[in-house]
Amino acid sequence: MAVERNVLGGELEPCGTDPVTGFYRDGCCSTGPEDLGSHTVCAVVTADFLRHQRQVGNDLSTPRPEYSFPGLRPGDRWCVVAVRWLQSYDAGFAAPVVLACTHERALEVISLEALRAHAVDVPADPRSLG
C-alpha cells in the first residue's frame, strides 16, 4: 500500500479523532475512489466557516448519526471537501488549515498559496513553506 502524502510532500498526518474525522472515519484526510467529494482538507472549523457552509446548503453543525457525523463546533478539526473549503475561501470565510494533515489531492482544487495563507501548523522544516 502506497503512503499517502500531504500538500507539503510529507507523509499524511492524522487530522482529528475528537470527533473522528475523515471520509473513512479513520482520523485522516485519506481519499480514494469512493470519496467522490474529496474530503482532503484538514480544517479547524470556525463559527464563520460553519455559518457560511450552512448558508450555502452544507450544514456541518447538525448531528447526522446515520452518517456517523456528530455535528461540528468551532475549534473541531475536520476533513472538509476541497471544493467546499475553496467556496468559503472565495467568500472570505476560509477555515484555518493544518497542512501536514491535508491530502495532496486537495491541490487538484486549491492552490498551495491559498492553503498556506490559512495554515495554522508549522512543519518540522519551515523552509519547506518556501
Side-chain angles (χ1 to χ4, degrees):
M1 183 176 201
V3 172
E4 293 189 271
R5 298 278 170 209
N6 63 40
V7 294
L8 300 173
E11 193 169 327
L12 185 65
E13 295 180 16
C15 178
T17 56
D18 185 21
V20 178
T21 190
F23 178 79
Y24 300 107
R25 293 298 189 264
D26 61 359
C28 292
C29 296
S30 302
T31 191
E34 309 88 1
D35 182 13
L36 301 179
S38 188
H39 295 76
T40 51
V41 177
C42 181
V44 182
V45 300
T46 63
D48 285 342
F49 176 82
L50 292 171
R51 188 171 24 263
H52 177 260
Q53 285 297 295
R54 187 172 43 255
Q55 289 172 348
V56 297
N58 185 30
D59 182 0
L60 297 173
S61 301
T62 302
R64 299 289 306 268
E66 66 272 26
Y67 298 114
S68 299
F69 181 70
L72 301 178
R73 296 183 310 248
D76 286 342
R77 286 169 51 147
W78 195 254
C79 297
V80 299
V81 171
V83 171
R84 292 294 194 167
W85 186 88
L86 183 61
Q87 181 181 41
S88 285
Y89 170 82
D90 288 340
F93 300 105
V97 176
V98 184
L99 297 176
C101 307
T102 297
H103 197 283
E104 66 184 350
R105 288 222 20 230
L107 296 175
E108 294 172 6
V109 176
I110 307 164
S111 72
L112 183 55
E113 291 74 28
L115 293 169
R116 282 181 178 165
H118 293 279
V120 291
D121 61 335
V122 178
D125 179 7
R127 291 172 297 178
S128 68
L129 293 173

